[in-house]
Amino acid sequence: MKFVILIHSTPEPWGHPTGDFVAEHRALPQEQRDDMNAHFDRVLTQLQEAGELVGGEALGDPRSSTLFRWADGDPIASDGPYAETKEQFAGFFLIDVASRERAEEIAFHFAGPGETIELRPTMWPGGDEQ
């Protein structure tokens, strides 16, 4: 079953890993931040070795995005970001796991101070049904 782990965050300035740029994460003692980063690196390594991590990407600053919409019968382009909220979409990881329970277990490790993690199944969980 395929799931996307969506990272919503508010890094300021925009940067990755987002925790390095989020006030709530930076407020933690350095030793705790180092431990959290090492844990996350271990989780990613384990996912890769198990074949559960399909891929992922960090996204650029939402202010650099271009939006494309349909208006008055024609497509138009405008500057982003799409959402006029404090929290923005910062990146994603695609995982392929045996169950939703396993996906939730993995997503738990992606949550960090000042960030919201969204776990969403793909439309075709097996990747080949259409």
Side-chain angles (χ1 to χ4, degrees):
M1 301 178 70
K2 289 188 181 176
F3 290 84
V4 179
I5 298 171
L6 303 166
I7 313 297
H8 301 269
S9 190
T10 58
E12 195 56 48
W14 195 265
H16 292 278
T18 53
D20 291 350
F21 300 91
V22 175
E24 294 89 341
H25 185 85
R26 289 192 313 246
L28 299 173
Q30 185 64 49
E31 184 177 346
Q32 185 177 0
R33 292 188 316 222
D34 292 344
D35 288 346
M36 292 171 69
N37 289 337
H39 172 76
F40 187 71
D41 289 342
R42 285 191 303 274
V43 168
L44 286 180
T45 298
Q46 291 168 354
L47 293 173
Q48 287 174 323
E49 290 173 353
E52 293 177 312
L53 180 64
V54 176
E57 284 292 332
L59 299 179
D61 191 325
R63 293 173 289 213
S64 66
S65 63
T66 302
L67 304 178
F68 297 88
R69 293 187 170 103
W70 192 261
D72 298 322
D74 290 310
I76 59 168
S78 62
D79 292 338
Y82 172 74
E84 294 183 18
T85 63
K86 182 179 176 186
E87 210 167 64
Q88 295 292 332
F89 184 42
F92 68 93
F93 292 88
L94 179 62
I95 57 175
D96 191 355
V97 295
S99 67
R100 180 171 188 95
E101 291 77 20
R102 176 62 179 145
E104 290 174 356
E105 177 184 313
I106 292 168
F108 176 82
H109 296 285
F110 284 72
E115 299 178 320
T116 299
I117 304 306
E118 177 183 351
L119 178 66
R120 188 183 304 181
T122 61
M123 181 65 80
W124 296 280
D128 54 5
E129 302 98 15
Q130 290 187 8

